[in-house]
Amino acid sequence: MSNIIEVKELQKSFGSLDVLKKVTFSVQPGEAVAVIGPSGSGKSTMLRSLVHLEDITGGSIYINGKTLVENGKYVNGADIRSITATMGMVFQHFNLFPHLTVRGNLELAPRTLKRESIKEITARSMDLLTKVGLADKADVYPSTLSGGQKQRVAIARALMLNPDILLFDEPTSALDPELTGEVLRVIRQLAEEHMTMIIVTHEMNFARDVADRVIFMDNGEIAESGTPEEIFNNPKLERTRMFLSRE
């Protein structure tokens, strides 16, 4: 099976600070990969670089067999847009538009792209809101929702353009603990449906239960990677053990 994401020797520097140091990994279609590690280890920067929210300094990224950037050189703008359009991103802080209803948030991008009829878009937005348990909130504004509900809307919105890949950047870190479960349930359901996902998370139990593979990042590099069983029960490195003992 060919990899849907291929990252080779990814480097990112801010001035003299190396944030990513030759990060190399791949993801297969349908695989759920959890990325764990201490704050400042480069997890979010790595994730954001996959959708070109960060420019990289060196290395290569291939998505669905297409080159996004090779040896630090990006393809043209139109190709960047078509490649990144195959990915959905869910952020820590929801990023919903406050002046649009819940359904309006979901339908904005597909209506703008005009690839299908309004009827089809509306049907899909309601299907997705039903999937995340929020069909009854279609016509309310984000300000009336809890954090967990906002994040579930953000996940539904990311699914509206039928992405091949979903990226999650600490999807529960802005939530109260009692609201975390409802978001993780939606992500777990997507994993069961074999959605290709990379999830940067500090929820260790969730990473253990849901991920097919766990990547431990530390100090801008992938320190080790393996099945949840290998990483959580039998880590090879002392720094992995130290990190997990603190979490």
Side-chain angles (χ1 to χ4, degrees):
M1 192 187 300
S2 59
N3 295 318
I4 192 167
I5 299 173
E6 189 86 47
V7 174
K8 295 182 178 171
E9 305 226 320
L10 198 63
Q11 292 172 269
K12 170 72 178 180
S13 304
F14 292 109
S16 61
L17 177 68
D18 293 330
V19 184
L20 296 175
K21 305 168 185 174
K22 299 204 168 177
V23 168
T24 296
F25 69 95
S26 57
V27 178
Q28 292 198 327
E31 194 176 23
V33 177
V35 183
I36 62 171
S39 294
S41 57
K43 306 183 299 295
S44 292
T45 302
M46 177 277 291
L47 196 72
R48 290 167 64 84
S49 69
L50 298 179
V51 282
H52 197 232
L53 290 173
E54 297 277 359
D55 278 333
I56 63 163
T57 313
S60 305
I61 300 171
Y62 308 96
I63 306 289
N64 268 326
K66 295 184 175 144
T67 303
L68 177 67
V69 52
E70 195 162 51
N71 299 323
K73 300 269 190 305
Y74 282 91
V75 294
N76 69 52
D79 287 343
I80 289 174
R81 284 190 293 279
S82 81
I83 292 167
T84 56
T86 64
M87 293 179 274
M89 178 112 180
V90 178
F91 299 90
Q92 187 174 338
H93 292 292
F94 331 128
N95 293 9
L96 299 178
F97 295 109
H99 64 291
L100 296 176
T101 62
V102 163
R103 184 160 42 191
N105 267 277
L106 266 67
E107 295 180 4
L108 178 64
R111 281 172 183 252
T112 306
L113 291 168
K114 296 189 174 72
R115 287 184 198 147
E116 60 202 320
S117 72
I118 301 294
K119 191 176 168 188
E120 288 169 314
I121 293 170
T122 303
R124 196 165 66 257
S125 68
M126 288 312 298
D127 284 348
L128 286 170
L129 287 174
T130 302
K131 183 187 183 84
V132 300
L134 291 170
D136 59 331
K137 302 290 187 186
D139 298 314
V140 307
Y141 287 89
S143 60
T144 66
L145 302 178
S146 71
Q149 289 170 328
K150 287 176 185 170
Q151 194 59 293
R152 285 186 281 153
V153 171
I155 294 170
R157 181 176 64 178
L159 289 166
M160 272 300 283
L161 294 175
N162 294 321
D164 298 325
I165 300 159
L166 265 189
L167 308 175
F168 293 88
D169 190 9
E170 302 263 11
T172 59
S173 64
L175 301 180
D176 296 331
E178 67 271 18
L179 300 176
T180 296
E182 63 192 56
V183 173
L184 297 182
R185 264 197 304 281
V186 173
I187 302 174
R188 181 179 271 110
Q189 184 186 347
L190 291 169
E192 287 165 0
E193 294 166 3
H194 303 294
M195 181 82 202
T196 307
M197 297 187 286
I198 301 180
I199 308 149
V200 171
T201 184
H202 60 282
E203 300 283 344
M204 294 303 128
N205 288 336
F206 177 72
R208 184 195 293 260
D209 293 347
V210 171
D212 299 301
R213 189 153 48 92
V214 177
I215 290 173
F216 171 61
M217 286 186 72
D218 188 28
N219 197 26
E221 55 196 5
I222 293 178
E224 65 177 303
S225 154
T227 63
E229 167 81 15
E230 288 164 341
I231 297 296
F232 290 107
N233 297 354
N234 194 21
K236 296 188 182 75
L237 300 180
E238 179 59 28
R239 58 177 164 165
T240 315
R241 283 194 288 273
M242 287 284 292
F243 170 75
L244 292 171
S245 70
R246 286 198 303 269
E247 287 299 307

